Amino acid sequence: MKNNALITGGLGFIGTHIARHLISENTVDKVVCLDHFGRYVSSIHPEFTDYRKQRIFGLEDRLIIERGEAQHYSVVNRLLTQYEPRFIFHLAALPLAKPNNITTEEALDGTVNATSCILELIGQMKEASNYDPERFV
């Protein structure tokens, strides 16, 4: 197992703060941030500000940014196989879960289905290669 962490929803507010903490405390060598780069506020909205660059400033040399969605088997399989993270922080969700900007299918995909996918893959990898992350949060 490698000394990495995987954070789904890794470019969000909580994910970037966890990444910063893991890196500043030298808990891991690298943090893999999986994010789908979605926005729930229009980019042309007058008050829209994209804070992602500011959140990861200073972490670039120890941060790996991967684009994808945690409910997709192929995405999670590739990341777990490639990076073998010791720690997995599953934070992928809808940031502005208001009835007027989500559907029930979108909410299920981002939460329940993504969690199921990650746990299923961990179980399969444990049987096949003894991969067993130290923590799944």
Side-chain angles (χ1 to χ4, degrees):
M1 187 172 329
K2 299 175 184 173
N3 193 28
N4 297 322
L6 170 64
I7 303 174
T8 67
L11 294 181
F13 181 80
I14 297 170
T16 53
H17 281 78
I18 290 174
R20 186 170 297 283
H21 178 76
L22 292 170
I23 290 170
S24 69
E25 295 292 320
N26 286 314
T27 305
V28 295
D29 298 326
K30 298 275 185 181
V31 174
V32 180
C33 291
L34 173 64
D35 206 279
H36 81 308
F37 292 85
R39 295 192 187 128
Y40 294 90
V41 176
S42 171
S43 300
I44 60 172
H45 190 278
E47 297 174 12
F48 172 76
T49 304
D50 190 348
Y51 291 103
R52 289 178 288 202
K53 279 188 177 181
Q54 294 171 350
R55 291 181 191 143
I56 64 170
F57 182 78
L59 305 177
E60 296 89 353
D61 60 332
R62 294 183 58 193
L63 202 64
I64 300 166
I65 298 172
E66 295 278 358
R67 183 176 186 171
E69 296 190 34
Q71 75 265 18
H72 296 299
Y73 182 93
S74 61
V75 171
V76 177
N77 185 45
R78 181 178 60 80
L79 296 178
L80 293 181
T81 302
Q82 181 175 351
Y83 298 109
E84 296 179 1
R86 277 180 55 209
F87 306 107
I88 300 172
F89 296 88
H90 177 40
L91 306 174
L94 298 172
L96 297 172
K98 296 180 181 177
N100 64 343
N101 65 356
I102 66 166
T103 64
T104 55
E105 291 86 10
E106 188 178 22
L108 281 171
D109 282 344
T111 54
V112 176
N113 295 342
T115 303
S116 176
C117 177
I118 295 167
L119 291 174
E120 184 176 329
L121 272 162
I122 290 171
Q124 290 173 5
M125 290 179 71
K126 186 174 184 178
E127 284 184 23
S129 66
N130 290 323
Y131 168 73
D132 192 13
E134 195 173 313
R135 292 269 194 275
F136 176 80
V137 180

